[in-house]
């Protein structure tokens, strides 16, 4: 397990990992909770997080370890197309500014903890509540697994072999999340993001000086794509529509995930969320700089076994060992924050919208917190087992489907904030058709994110999740119109 370990890099990595582990356990006493035996405190940090904490928390779980690994890897593999994550993280913030304060207000006033709670309150439908909650849990599991992949890449770059380091890291994560709840990732997010900023600023300042400047980097990347016969540093005309549809679909899906909603619900007020919608684009700048590491990999002449190795190999090749260890620690710690928030979000959904509804309706607040703590551990264990015993590609495929699935909860969650027109039956039917139809399209395309549609002048590729959402909304509208035409159709909402 310890063969070929870079001792300097490992020492820096271990010291920083121990630091954040200690912070994770200390977080239980941070901001003086009256008790953690309540879901509001354990799962939402008491709903008291101000602008800066929310900024680090939402940024920390939105820009994940896998983002740090996968975005540069995609740019390294295909070039400009890999930058679709940039417009997506620009489009999403106006949506957050306009919609999320409204959602937060509803959740705060009525004591809602999850998207399932909001849907039940709006439509009084246990079926729609269960559909939204189950979709959230299913979509989150492979997302957590991807954080493990990001951490695994960083650990292996240190020279550590075997699965024991990964198991130990996630055992630590599971224990302090159980102990401190959302306070742990909120506190660690400060350290994680400062480290990531240091790593990226060092990379964009120092790497070009070692590779002949940005002109040489873009020239080398362009030459590499030309030699390969695919990809490029500019989009081709055929890539523009799929690029835009991926960006739009990803933006709409981003804040439907339980972990991003958990960060929103934990904010202290609507203005906190609006301020964050204005401040969070700073992460987009960070993401753009990170993506450039993919081009730098070509300029550095890296020969990689996997595209995911481009960032670790770049730091191992061009930086001293101690700083490479710092960068690997930033990536690994970058996995802990989102993985913790994701598991808490999934646990909240299970506790509020399954356990309390179908198993134990009389469960006390303390009982809810206990069920959520245990569930968060089981969710992490499940993700870990998936990585250890299933092919990595399986997690990637499930993550693709997870994005498609979570997008189908948007009409039920968002429409009810503004409209009193849709019935729960119409929305549930639209959700089912969108989920099944989108999954079938993705499966028939070989689990690719894009589906070709022939408009008469040749096929145009569009993000499958967006097509499924359009189908979802059309079906919901049609079913609602049909129900409105029926006598005693039961269109009025049931009591929450």
């Amino acid at each position: 397990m310890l063969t070929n370990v870079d001792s300097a890099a490992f020492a820096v990595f271990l010291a920083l990992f121990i630091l954040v582990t200690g912070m994770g356990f200390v977080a239980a006493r941070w901001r003086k909770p009256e008790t953690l035996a309540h879901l509001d405190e354990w799962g939402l940090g008491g709903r008291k997080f101000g602008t800066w904490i929310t900024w680090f928390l939402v940024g920390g779980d939105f820009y994940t370890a896998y983002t740090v690994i996968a975005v540069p890897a995609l740019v390294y593999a295909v070039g400009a197309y890999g930058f679709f994550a940039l417009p997506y993280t620009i489009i999403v913030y106006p949506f957050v500014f306009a919609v999320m304060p409204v959602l937060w207000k509803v959740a705060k006033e009525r004591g809602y903890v999850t998207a399932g709670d909001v849907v039940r309150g709006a439509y009084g439908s246990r079926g729609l509540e269960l559909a939204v909650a189950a979709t959230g849990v299913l979509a989150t599991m492979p997302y957590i697994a991807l954080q493990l992949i990001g951490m695994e890449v960083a650990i292996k770059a240190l020279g550590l072999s075997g699965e024991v380091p990964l198991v130990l890291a996630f055992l630590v994560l599971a224990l302090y999340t159980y102990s401190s709840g959302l306070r742990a990732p909120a506190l660690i997010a400060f350290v994680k993001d400062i480290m990531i900023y240091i790593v990226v600023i060092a990379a964009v300042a120092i790497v070009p000086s070692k590779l002949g400047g940005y002109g040489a980097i873009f020239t080398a990347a362009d030459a590499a794509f030309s030699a390969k016969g695919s990809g490029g540093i500019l989009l081709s005309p055929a890539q523009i529509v799929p690029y835009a549809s991926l960006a739009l679909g990803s933006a709409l899906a981003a804040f439907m995930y339980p972990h991003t909603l958990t960060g929103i619900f934990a904010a202290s007020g609507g203005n906190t969320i609006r301020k964050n919608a204005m401040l969070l684009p700073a992460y987009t700048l960070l993401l753009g700089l990170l993506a450039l590491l993919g081009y730098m990999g070509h300029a550095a002449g890296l020969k990689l076994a996997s595209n995911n190795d481009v960032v670790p190999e770049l730091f191992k090749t061009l930086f001293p060992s101690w700083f490479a260890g710092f960068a690997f620690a930033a990536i690994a710690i970058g996995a802990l924050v989102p993985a913790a928030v994701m598991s808490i979000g999934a646990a909240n959904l299970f506790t509020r919208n399954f356990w309390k509804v179908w198993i134990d309706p009389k469960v006390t607040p303390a009982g809810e917190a206990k069920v959520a703590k245990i569930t968060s551990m089981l969710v992490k264990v499940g993700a870990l087992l998936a990585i250890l015993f299933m092919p990595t590609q399986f997690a990637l495929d499930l993550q693709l489907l997870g994005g498609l699935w979570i997008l189908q909860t948007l009409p039920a969650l968002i429409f009810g904030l503004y409209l009193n027109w849709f019935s729960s039956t119409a929305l549930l039917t639209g959700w089912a058709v969108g989920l099944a139809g989108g999954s079938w399209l993705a499966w028939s395309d070989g689990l690719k994110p894009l589906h070709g549609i022939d408009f008469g002048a040749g096929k145009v590729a569009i993000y499958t999740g967006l097509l499924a959402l359009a189908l979802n909304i059309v079906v919901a509208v049609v079913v609602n119109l049909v129900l409105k035409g029926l006598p005693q159709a039961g269109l009025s909402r049931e009591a929450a």
Side-chain angles (χ1 to χ4, degrees):
M1 186 179 80
L2 296 176
T3 55
N4 301 318
V5 173
D6 184 323
S7 56
F10 180 67
V12 172
F13 179 95
L14 188 61
L16 290 166
F17 204 86
I18 291 173
L19 170 67
V20 298
T21 299
M23 291 176 67
F25 286 106
V26 168
R29 293 188 290 277
W30 181 45
R31 297 176 68 83
K32 298 178 181 176
E34 291 182 5
T35 174
L36 285 174
H38 194 291
L39 213 51
D40 266 15
E41 289 292 345
W42 183 84
L44 293 179
R47 301 181 194 255
K48 296 174 184 172
F49 291 161
T51 301
W52 285 110
I53 297 175
T54 301
W55 189 75
F56 279 105
L57 180 63
V58 174
D61 71 55
F62 193 34
Y63 297 86
T64 67
Y66 192 71
T67 302
V68 175
I69 293 295
V71 171
L74 187 59
V75 171
Y76 177 84
V78 302
Y81 197 72
F83 281 86
F84 86 89
L86 264 69
Y88 134 50
T89 56
I90 294 170
I91 294 169
V92 74
Y93 293 119
F95 177 77
V96 171
F97 185 94
V99 176
M100 290 298 129
V102 180
L103 188 60
W104 177 90
K105 185 180 179 185
V106 171
K108 173 68 175 178
E109 288 178 350
R110 302 181 185 181
Y112 298 154
V113 177
T114 68
D117 289 349
V118 176
V119 168
R120 184 191 65 241
Y123 303 99
S125 166
R126 291 296 189 192
L128 191 59
E129 174 193 4
L130 183 61
V132 169
T135 307
V137 174
L138 285 175
T140 301
M141 290 288 286
Y143 216 155
I144 299 174
L146 289 192
Q147 305 316 307
L148 288 170
I149 293 175
M151 179 177 280
E152 192 175 38
V153 170
I155 290 174
K156 286 186 176 176
L158 285 169
L160 296 171
S161 59
E163 308 296 351
V164 173
L166 187 66
V167 173
L168 290 176
F170 258 72
L171 181 61
V172 169
L173 166 69
L175 289 175
Y176 69 61
T177 305
Y178 184 94
S179 169
S180 304
L182 193 63
R183 284 176 168 76
L187 189 58
I188 294 172
F190 283 92
V191 177
K192 172 248 180 184
D193 284 354
I194 291 170
M195 290 176 67
I196 291 285
Y197 269 103
I198 291 173
V199 167
V200 173
I201 291 170
V204 299
I206 295 174
V207 173
S209 69
K210 293 189 174 185
L211 299 176
Y214 277 101
I217 289 171
F218 283 111
T219 300
D222 194 37
F225 292 127
S226 297
K228 192 167 64 171
S230 63
I233 61 172
L234 296 175
L235 288 177
S236 68
Q239 288 178 316
I240 292 174
V241 172
Y243 181 92
S245 69
L246 269 173
L248 177 60
S250 301
L252 293 175
F255 277 78
M256 298 299 107
Y257 278 103
H259 59 283
T260 44
L261 284 177
T262 296
I264 293 296
F265 289 162
S268 60
N271 280 335
T272 298
I273 296 168
R274 292 187 189 94
K275 288 177 186 175
N276 268 275
M278 294 186 285
L279 295 171
L280 280 167
Y283 281 98
T284 303
L285 174 64
L286 180 74
L287 187 61
L289 297 175
L290 270 169
L292 288 175
L293 298 179
Y295 287 158
M296 293 177 191
H298 287 296
L302 300 180
K303 304 300 178 187
L304 305 175
S306 164
N307 294 330
N308 282 343
D309 294 333
V310 63
V311 171
E313 286 300 320
L314 201 59
F315 280 93
K316 285 174 70 174
T317 304
L318 299 177
F319 285 86
S321 293
W322 69 267
F323 192 79
F326 183 88
F328 300 155
I331 296 170
I333 294 168
L336 298 180
V337 173
V341 184
M342 289 169 190
S343 68
I344 289 170
N348 289 345
L349 279 169
F350 177 83
T351 304
R352 293 289 295 229
N353 308 120
F354 182 76
W355 187 270
K356 186 173 182 178
V357 174
W358 304 99
I359 305 295
D360 185 5
K362 296 182 179 178
V363 63
T364 62
E368 281 187 336
K370 186 175 181 181
V371 171
K373 288 179 178 182
I374 294 171
T375 305
S376 77
M377 294 195 75
L378 294 176
V379 166
K380 284 189 278 286
V381 169
L384 182 61
L385 293 176
I387 291 299
L388 295 181
F389 298 108
M390 292 182 183
T392 301
Q393 186 60 42
F394 186 69
L396 294 170
D397 292 341
L398 280 180
Q399 164 60 9
L400 164 68
L401 290 172
L404 186 159
W405 293 338
I406 201 69
L407 194 52
Q408 306 317 308
T409 65
L410 185 146
L413 183 61
I414 303 302
F415 288 2
L417 297 177
Y418 301 98
L419 302 173
N420 194 26
W421 186 73
F422 284 99
S423 71
S424 59
T425 303
L427 289 168
L428 189 58
T429 308
W431 167 85
V433 172
L435 198 80
S439 301
W440 179 81
L441 277 182
W443 183 265
S444 64
D445 290 330
L447 289 175
K448 304 294 183 188
L450 300 167
H451 181 74
I453 296 181
D454 194 343
F455 290 99
K459 282 190 174 182
V460 176
I462 298 175
Y463 175 42
T464 309
L466 209 55
L467 293 173
L469 177 63
L471 180 64
N472 178 342
I473 295 171
V474 168
V475 168
V477 169
V478 170
V479 170
N480 213 47
L481 288 172
V482 170
L483 291 176
K484 274 180 175 291
L486 296 176
Q488 304 298 319
L491 289 178
S492 62
R493 296 179 180 189
E494 301 164 45

